[in-house]
Amino acid sequence: MISDLSEATPEQLLQAAEDGVRMARQVEVDKLELLLAWADLHSGDPQAEPDAVPARFGGPRLIALGGDGTPQVQDLALVEIAIARHEAVMTTRRALADALDLRHRLPQVWAGVGEGRCEVWVVRKVARMARRLDRHQIRIVDTAVAAALDAAPARVLAIAEAKVIEADTAAHTERIKANQDKKGVWFSRPRSGDQVDDPDANTDGNTDSQAGIGTVFARLDEADALECARTVEDLATALAAHATPPLDGQDPLPMDHWRAEAFAMLADPAAVLAFYRSIEAPDEHEADATTGGAAEIVVHVAQQADGTLGPLARVDDLGPRLLDQVRDLLRRQTAVTLTPVIDLHTGRSVNGYEHPTDVKHRTELRTLGDVFPHATGLFTRHGRTPDHDHTTPYDNNGPPGQTGDHNDTPLTRHHHRAKTHLGYTVLQLGPDRWVWGTPHGLYRLVTGGGTRPITRAEYHLHAQQAIVLADGCAA
């Protein structure tokens, strides 16, 4: 423990920060282990005790909190441990349910969080997501999530979501059907006081009155919602492109404004068609306004051992979807074009500085997101494209073949700037493995499974491996 932080060196502060993360994670694990020990102590049937008050008269009884395969616990015994935890008994119940699921149903995940690889709140959420699965179905969730615990929380939860769906596709089909009965469109109604400012209504200082504004909320079939979004976006883009230019010194109106204008215009289809006829290429716009237009949906599918497709696909910008849902997404399209499967085990190098499009595409598919240590940003088709930085800096006078899959580090602009200007080091161990060193001596291994701390000695061993790989690529 540093007695005076103002006198600490950068290295000491960084080490203290790392120690703080490790200790905080261990404290959360200890709290769950203590709760489990209390549950174990109160797992006997209180109704079997002599002179037990029958449960029908309010006596204590065993209850099941976790999922299939977890032991029961005495209900009234949780009241006292809740007091010790300074919380309501229902909060304690929820924590114990998660802990029981982790210990009995997700043992690999529980072991990983015990090693400090992940925040406890993340695996508790995984436990809740998988609670309706039986003890056999949940095994694929345990294996997949345990392998991904070093990844960012959003990535861990995305993997858990996909595996929960895959484990019981029939239940997910029923969820989809049930939601079809909950569709609707709701329009806001004026309430007293909405039309004037209320400075105390928002802590950020914005009064946010509803004067002259209405709100629309809709729950639609997913395919219909995506089609609405595309139609609104296309019309908004056209409206913005043909709007009167702003005066000198004025900022152009944001796209949110034009989306609102486009959405409102859809209430008058004749006005939409008249607008499209008034601008360039009216035939093209009119066709888009009245028929299913071109849309790009990127779907990733996995082949099973018997050669058939698995029940689940990953749709870019949406997440895991059943194959039936993918077919539904495509039902409005008059033509569907299939592009060849991209083999991520291949690669190539070129002599120029710029990474070719196919190299960038393969790298982004392998990594899915920013490969800076502990980065959370995922690449999306509609977001800002990443910077494809040369892991080993490009040398104008260097050997041929410096650019390619073997020398490509995709980063968001902020992390790219930090790497370039602050003395970070990065070595590439293959098309999907990087080792990083920070300016003050922290070391990380980044793979498709996330970020793992490594020692200085491990870093130098990886550095030797990187040299061998680089020599092989040069040869």
Side-chain angles (χ1 to χ4, degrees):
M1 182 67 179
I2 303 172
S3 58
D4 188 351
L5 294 178
S6 64
E7 296 180 358
T9 65
E11 291 79 6
Q12 289 175 322
L13 291 172
L14 290 171
Q15 185 60 56
E18 282 209 297
D19 291 344
V21 170
R22 176 180 53 79
M23 290 186 293
R25 289 180 175 181
Q26 187 59 52
V27 166
E28 292 301 314
V29 172
D30 291 345
K31 287 163 65 176
L32 292 186
E33 288 183 332
L34 191 153
L35 195 54
L36 287 167
W38 183 265
D40 293 340
L41 196 62
H42 298 85
S43 58
D45 186 358
Q47 291 298 304
E49 297 294 326
D51 302 323
V53 177
R56 66 179 182 276
F57 295 134
R61 58 190 175 87
L62 287 176
I63 56 172
L65 295 176
D68 178 47
T70 59
Q72 294 181 313
V73 63
Q74 298 173 17
D75 62 344
L76 298 185
L78 299 182
V79 176
E80 190 171 10
I81 192 68
I83 294 172
R85 287 167 57 91
H86 294 225
E87 63 189 17
V89 68
M90 293 307 298
T91 303
T92 297
R93 281 192 177 199
R94 287 191 288 268
L96 179 56
D98 297 343
L100 289 169
D101 276 2
L102 288 166
R103 185 175 71 176
H104 294 275
R105 290 159 50 83
L106 298 163
Q108 296 179 72
V109 173
W110 181 235
V113 79
E115 296 168 359
R117 293 173 55 200
C118 184
E119 296 289 345
V120 168
W121 72 264
V122 176
V123 296
R124 284 189 59 183
K125 186 165 185 177
V126 171
R128 294 193 297 274
M129 292 168 65
R131 184 151 299 150
R132 293 183 182 272
L133 300 178
D134 66 33
R135 70 188 74 183
H136 306 294
Q137 293 170 329
I138 201 173
R139 290 174 182 169
I140 67 169
V141 180
D142 188 30
T143 300
V145 172
L149 286 178
D150 296 315
R155 178 68 179 146
V156 175
L157 296 176
I159 290 172
E161 178 187 44
K163 291 302 176 181
V164 168
I165 296 172
E166 182 181 344
D168 193 351
T169 56
H172 193 63
T173 299
E174 289 303 314
R175 280 193 288 269
I176 295 170
K177 290 180 179 178
N179 279 335
Q180 295 299 309
D181 296 331
K182 300 175 183 177
K183 294 188 294 186
V185 178
W186 298 268
F187 298 90
S188 63
R189 294 180 179 275
R191 295 185 302 174
S192 298
D194 279 351
Q195 301 299 303
V196 296
D197 295 339
D198 183 356
D200 295 332
N202 292 286
T203 57
D204 59 6
N206 294 321
T207 54
D208 198 24
S209 78
Q210 298 299 308
I213 294 294
T215 301
V216 181
F217 177 78
R219 280 176 60 94
L220 310 176
D221 180 88
E222 184 173 53
D224 294 334
L226 291 173
E227 186 66 18
C228 286
R230 185 191 69 83
T231 301
V232 169
E233 191 68 25
D234 289 348
L235 181 53
T237 301
L239 288 171
H242 293 84
T244 302
L247 299 175
D248 291 342
Q250 288 185 335
D251 293 329
L253 292 169
M255 281 304 299
D256 281 343
H257 169 87
W258 294 113
R259 292 186 190 101
E261 292 293 320
F263 185 83
M265 186 181 283
L266 293 180
D268 186 356
V272 176
L273 292 176
F275 167 72
Y276 276 135
R277 290 192 184 104
S278 70
I279 61 178
E280 295 179 353
D283 294 340
E284 174 186 346
H285 289 295
E286 184 168 333
D288 282 348
T290 56
T291 64
E296 182 183 13
I297 300 177
V298 180
V299 181
H300 307 266
V301 294
Q303 191 176 45
Q304 300 184 117
D306 60 0
T308 62
L309 295 180
L312 211 61
R314 177 170 61 85
V315 182
D316 277 8
D317 298 340
L318 292 181
R321 295 294 185 272
L322 298 176
L323 292 186
D324 286 343
Q325 290 179 278
V326 175
R327 296 186 189 98
D328 195 41
L329 291 175
L330 296 173
R331 77 178 192 271
R332 291 177 178 269
Q333 309 309 316
T334 55
V336 176
T337 302
L338 299 180
T339 56
V341 173
I342 299 174
D343 187 353
L344 302 184
H345 298 289
T346 63
R348 71 184 181 106
S349 58
V350 297
N351 297 333
Y353 175 80
E354 183 69 24
H355 285 89
T357 300
D358 65 309
V359 171
K360 293 179 180 179
H361 195 188
R362 280 194 299 272
T363 297
E364 292 174 23
L365 289 175
R366 290 188 194 105
T367 62
L368 298 181
D370 187 347
V371 299
F372 198 81
H374 303 289
T376 60
L378 298 177
F379 302 141
T380 65
R381 291 185 299 116
H382 302 298
R384 180 170 182 171
T385 57
D387 293 345
H388 285 262
D389 187 43
H390 287 79
T391 314
T392 300
Y394 186 84
D395 183 355
N396 288 323
N397 300 315
Q402 296 180 62
T403 300
D405 297 71
H406 67 289
N407 195 26
D408 185 10
T409 300
L411 302 167
T412 57
R413 180 60 52 83
H414 187 76
H415 287 153
H416 189 184
R417 290 175 55 226
K419 171 186 176 292
T420 302
H421 300 293
L422 295 183
Y424 285 83
T425 60
V426 58
L427 303 167
Q428 193 164 351
L429 306 181
D432 59 354
R433 289 167 62 87
W434 292 261
V435 285
W436 288 81
T438 75
H440 292 97
L442 299 180
Y443 301 99
R444 296 291 188 266
L445 171 65
V446 177
T447 68
T451 301
R452 184 172 69 84
I454 57 175
T455 64
R456 180 183 179 87
E458 289 176 311
Y459 174 84
H460 287 296
L461 286 175
H462 286 306
Q464 292 300 315
Q465 181 185 355
I467 293 173
V468 173
L469 288 171
D471 290 342
C473 289

